[in-house]
Amino acid sequence: LVGSPYVYRRAGTDDVVVSAAEDGHIYEFSRGSAWALTDLSLAAPSSALAADDPMAYVRSDGYSSVVYRAIDGGVDELFSLSPAWGSGALTAYAQLGYAKSKPFGYVRVNPARDAVVYVGPRNHVFELILSGSDWTGADLTELSAAPAAAGSPMPFVRGDQTNAVIFRDAAGHLNELYLSTSWQVDDMSEEAKAPPALNDAVPYVKIDGRNAVVYRGHDGHVYELSSAADGHEWELSDLTVQAGAPLASSDARVYRRGGQDAVVFSSGVG
C-alpha cells in the first residue's frame, strides 16, 4: 500500500482502515474478531482506479462511504450497507468538473444530508450533495465570493451546528466557508493575525464546545485558531511554545483521548 491510510468507524461499529495501493485499488482493513483485508475495488463492480488517498465516513442513511479522486479526475464513491459494495461517479452524476484535490465527505446538519467537498476547476471549492438518490453540486467559492483555494478543503459541523468548510488560499490564509441563510466566507487568519499555513488545516470541535483549527506554520510551529461555538472572534495559540514541543516536520492531526483533546505530529528527530 502507498500514501496515507485513513481510519474511521464503519456502520456496524467495525474499526476500519482504508488505503490506496500502487495499482490504484482501494483496500480496507476491517477489525471484527480479527483483522481482515478486502480489495474494495474488486468488490465494487465497475469502480474506477484511485489517483490519490481515499477518505471514508458513514453517511446519514447508514451506508459506509469511501470517496476518492479517480484517475480520470472525477470524484468517485465506493459504498456499502454490508456486505455488498457498489460504486458511483459523483462528479459525473452532478455534471461538475474534475477534482484537483482529495475529496472529503461529511454529514451536514439541519437537515442531515451527505456532502463531499473538493477543489475543482479555477481552484474553486465545490460541494456535492446527495438529495434522495441523486447527487447534485454547487460552487461554494462562487456563491460566497471567496478567494481561490490551495490544497484540500476540510468540512466540519461547528459547535453551533453550522455547516462549515475550512480551506487554505494561495497566501496561506485559512478561510472558513459557512452556511448561514447562504454561504459566507471569513478570513480566519486575518481576524486572528495568524501566521500563514504551510499545508492544509484540520478543523474540529473541542470537548468544551469551542471550534478549533490546527495547522503547521512555515516555522515548524503547530498553531491553533479557536473560537466560541458560533464561530465569532477567532483567536491564535502557538501550541509549540505553550507545550515546549519540538518543531513539526509533518502536518498536525487531532483526536480525542479519553476526556481530552490531543494533537499529534512528527518532529524532525524521528
Side-chain angles (χ1 to χ4, degrees):
L1 301 180
V2 296
S4 300
Y6 192 91
V7 181
Y8 80 115
R9 180 153 289 176
R10 198 171 64 187
T13 72
D14 287 341
D15 296 318
V16 170
V17 180
V18 293
S19 187
E22 290 181 342
D23 61 2
H25 284 218
I26 294 176
Y27 289 86
E28 175 191 74
F29 293 93
S30 59
R31 184 180 181 182
S33 56
W35 285 100
L37 177 66
T38 303
D39 184 335
L40 301 186
S41 299
L42 287 180
S46 304
S47 60
L49 297 179
D52 217 332
D53 299 327
M55 177 272 173
Y57 72 113
V58 178
R59 295 188 338 198
S60 61
D61 56 9
Y63 277 78
S64 300
S65 172
V66 179
V67 293
Y68 63 98
R69 184 161 56 105
I71 57 174
D72 65 358
V75 174
D76 283 34
E77 178 191 42
L78 304 175
F79 56 89
S80 173
L81 198 55
S82 189
W85 284 86
S87 64
L90 306 190
T91 43
Y93 296 156
Q95 298 183 343
L96 289 181
Y98 59 89
K100 299 178 69 174
S101 75
K102 300 176 187 177
F104 283 86
Y106 78 121
V107 179
R108 270 199 193 190
V109 295
N110 302 321
R113 298 177 72 184
D114 306 306
V116 178
V117 297
Y118 68 97
V119 172
R122 297 178 293 159
N123 293 324
H124 284 202
V125 176
F126 289 86
E127 180 184 52
L128 295 159
I129 287 283
L130 182 58
S131 302
S133 59
D134 298 322
W135 286 93
T136 60
D139 184 335
L140 302 190
T141 299
E142 189 171 280
L143 291 174
S144 62
S152 298
M154 295 286 287
F156 81 123
V157 177
R158 289 191 334 206
D160 62 353
Q161 297 298 288
T162 295
N163 303 302
V165 179
I166 305 298
F167 72 92
R168 175 173 51 94
D169 64 26
H173 284 211
L174 296 179
N175 295 266
E176 180 193 35
L177 293 164
Y178 61 95
L179 184 58
S180 181
T181 53
S182 61
W183 283 99
Q184 308 290 326
V185 66
D186 180 22
D187 186 333
M188 305 155 61
S189 296
E190 178 66 28
E191 185 175 318
K193 305 303 178 188
L198 178 61
N199 286 315
D200 298 327
V202 178
Y204 73 110
V205 177
K206 301 176 75 167
I207 199 166
D208 62 4
R210 289 177 62 83
N211 307 304
V213 178
V214 296
Y215 70 96
R216 177 169 53 130
H218 289 264
D219 56 3
H221 286 215
V222 175
Y223 294 99
E224 179 187 70
L225 298 175
S226 63
S227 76
D230 60 9
H232 293 161
E233 299 182 7
W234 290 94
E235 301 173 350
L236 174 68
S237 298
D238 187 332
L239 303 188
T240 299
V241 170
Q242 290 183 11
L247 298 181
S249 61
S250 74
D251 295 338
R253 294 291 180 262
V254 180
Y255 76 108
R256 184 154 292 167
R257 186 185 64 192
Q260 293 182 313
D261 300 313
V263 178
V264 295
F265 62 93
S266 295
S267 68
V269 298

